[in-house]
């Protein structure tokens, strides 16, 4: 089994805000991230699939196909968007790095599995060079 | 003469929009950047000063001082902000990478010059790893 | 379960020296690293915690809190220090990248666990861009 | 147990070509990679070994020794070479990133194991900054 | 005046060979680079233009336009190609990093100038992270 | 004229200390850098030469030769050393990033000039990713 990873990037706005709280509570918990005008990041994704190497092609999956899946399912929806205001899964869920990792997994798991040759193994999301979250699915090991 | 550079980073939202134009014109010229919900970036600044090395300290300027000046004059104003909505110089000027470079220069030139030991030489702004603008002041050579 | 990682950096000196050996033996085993005047590195830490996402905040842990823990427990003790001469755990243990990884784990495990929402999962230490060590605790899987 | 990783780089040419197929089939599956004149990359390897820390040296393995093994077994054979034409394992196997990861594992496993202090744990191969494959051996867990 | 830079990448093969020399002479001067099977690199370009900021758009040039020019004039010709065998300017000129910088300048100068709003200022070519060449045109200052 | 640059790295210790001052003055001016036990960095050099491209070789200079010159004149003297205690030019000059840039220039200018085909143009020294100094010689333009 081989782990094969492709990076992709998108630029988006977000803010951290819990509508059940007062502005003071949001400011106390989320600090500058609670600014309702939003702020943004260049996000980097690392999408990892796992499978056997096809003896004829030498591929686990065709990386051009994987790039297209990531583009269609994630980048075209997230890039140059305000995550809270324009992406459905963040209408009622705060777009933290952790939640973005889960959301990207949920968008990619079915199309990767459907293709038949590999399984989605890991989604890593960098919010900055210094912060990243990783999700391996409900049945993934924690490490 | 030595060129001494310090990097700093901030995360902010922006959009490209000319209020004299229709939505169609803005979309035609600015593409996805014209989305009024905004999108964002992790910006990296490279602030370069030039001066002689002080024989006693070995410094052109104290880099701790330079860090504090950049923090006070730029980062505290731009970081986790929506540049169009919250930063005065972008109320009537589109916060493109080019205009941000000029704006950062304008914020830093006086305090660096006032300190007396060095001149502001160059401001470089990275919007992403693949795009950056550089400004050397009105009297700076183009290259 | 999500893995959440924060990077931090420190600059320090060290040398490799086994006091039970002659200078020739130290030189033979440790090469240039045995120079008793010391040499140094910009170290990069990647500190990974694992836990469930809090539904109210969207956080595994507050990254500002994690940054403060790393700063208080590790960076304030290691940064701009000579590891062999000034950091207690290296008085009788050579500050190799491997041993630094274990030492950072030992400094962080209790305060992370005590906070209650996440477990320390992994400590990675880069000595240079080309060399890094990773420790996952006594009960951590080797891979 | 500690995971210890060393990076190494090489520059090489390759192409993707299945001799059982027509030129059209190769072009359809492999696109621009099927150009028989070849194209090339700066490859980066991350070679990870795992073992206990030796109490006397503080080492899992001597990184100088590991560097020499990687140089002798892999870099001296792959660097500045055309992988398809000059490296034996790619005479009948397409040098995709996946296959290179397996081939590097096969070259390193025996000499690392023979040294007695550590096991080869993981081979990661970056073809570009955006694409990498990882192999953990036949008995390695998929993740 | 602002300097605005866009990065682009391509992967290609090349070799260093002077047909007026014997194989021994080529080997003596060019070392491993004289291998006629070729080897390759991931090249990174930094293309810098200079001009005034348009007050209406905030642009020196439209970066989407600049990306398309680089793609059409350079990347579509160089990427996934063997530079010596498939790119006309290297039929009689060795594709060293220096010569690639000049060739890329020659390909871009006319289309950038023709657009009317900016001048080509600088072409930087990275062959690896550790080696790069820069050309500023026949009339460009050496530094 | 082409600018050709080669990177090199070294790891070293240093401290900032003016022997004409009291410990309190050194601490006040240099902060944590005044720790006499020393601390260290992974330094990165960018050495730039300028010259015409040789029509026969396509080289400004042979990069293997340039690498050897940098190794012999700088790296072999600075790497794994304590700059204050073991490098002659820092016996009476504080090894700040600025002073290191000048010292590296002084070590390289004569051997590069003597080779006859290129001039030393620029020395850039990174102390960390966020701090770098650049020197272009006594007659170099400030920018």
């Amino acid at each position: 089994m081989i782990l094969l990873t492709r990076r992709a990037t998108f630029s988006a706005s977000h803010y951290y805000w819990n509508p059940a709280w007062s502005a003071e509570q949001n400011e106390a918990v989320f600090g500058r991230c609670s600014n309702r005008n939003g702020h943004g990041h260049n996000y980097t994704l690392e999408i990892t699939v796992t499978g056997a190497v096809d003896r004829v092609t030498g591929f686990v999956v065709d990386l051009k196909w994987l790039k297209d899946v990531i583009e269609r399912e994630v980048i075209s929806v997230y890039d140059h968007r305000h995550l809270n205001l324009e992406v459905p899964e963040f209408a009622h869920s705060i777009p933290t790095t952790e939640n973005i990792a889960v959301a990207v997994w949920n968008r990619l798991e079915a199309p990767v599995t459907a293709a038949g040759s590999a399984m989605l193994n890991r989604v890593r999301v960098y919010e900055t060079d210094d912060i990243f979250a990783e999700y391996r699915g409900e049945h993934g090991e924690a490490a």
Side-chain angles (χ1 to χ4, degrees), chain A:
Chain A
M1 300 295 275
I2 293 275
L3 294 159
L4 187 63
T5 300
R6 176 134 214 158
R7 283 195 190 143
T9 60
F10 64 92
S11 296
S13 278
H14 71 163
Y15 54 69
Y16 291 177
W17 187 264
N18 182 335
W21 290 346
S22 67
E24 289 71 22
Q25 280 176 293
N26 276 289
E27 164 80 21
V29 172
F30 294 127
R32 297 174 306 166
C33 295
S34 66
N35 175 2
R36 295 297 288 277
N37 289 313
H39 67 281
H41 300 286
N42 304 321
Y43 290 92
T44 298
L45 302 177
E46 289 186 356
I47 307 302
T48 303
V49 302
T50 186
V53 180
D54 182 295
R55 287 184 180 275
V56 176
T57 61
F59 290 171
V60 169
V61 298
D62 181 336
L63 284 163
K64 175 68 170 63
W65 168 84
L66 183 57
K67 183 184 182 180
D68 289 345
V69 171
I70 299 169
E71 172 66 31
R72 186 182 67 236
E73 304 293 336
V74 180
I75 306 301
S76 70
V77 184
Y78 287 15
D79 190 35
H80 281 67
R81 296 293 174 185
H82 192 302
L83 299 177
N84 304 63
L85 304 182
E86 301 182 82
V87 174
E89 57 264 43
F90 301 120
H92 303 291
S93 159
I94 299 173
T96 58
T97 318
E98 295 94 316
N99 278 337
I100 296 172
V102 175
V104 171
W105 175 280
N106 289 339
R107 286 182 168 271
L108 291 175
E109 190 182 21
V112 168
T113 305
S117 63
M119 303 288 285
L120 186 61
N121 177 269
R122 194 182 77 183
V123 168
R124 186 181 277 195
V125 181
Y126 287 83
E127 186 184 272
T128 67
D129 288 345
D130 292 335
I131 290 171
F132 58 91
E134 193 173 308
Y135 184 58
R136 301 184 182 190
E138 281 186 21
H139 307 296
E141 41 175 342

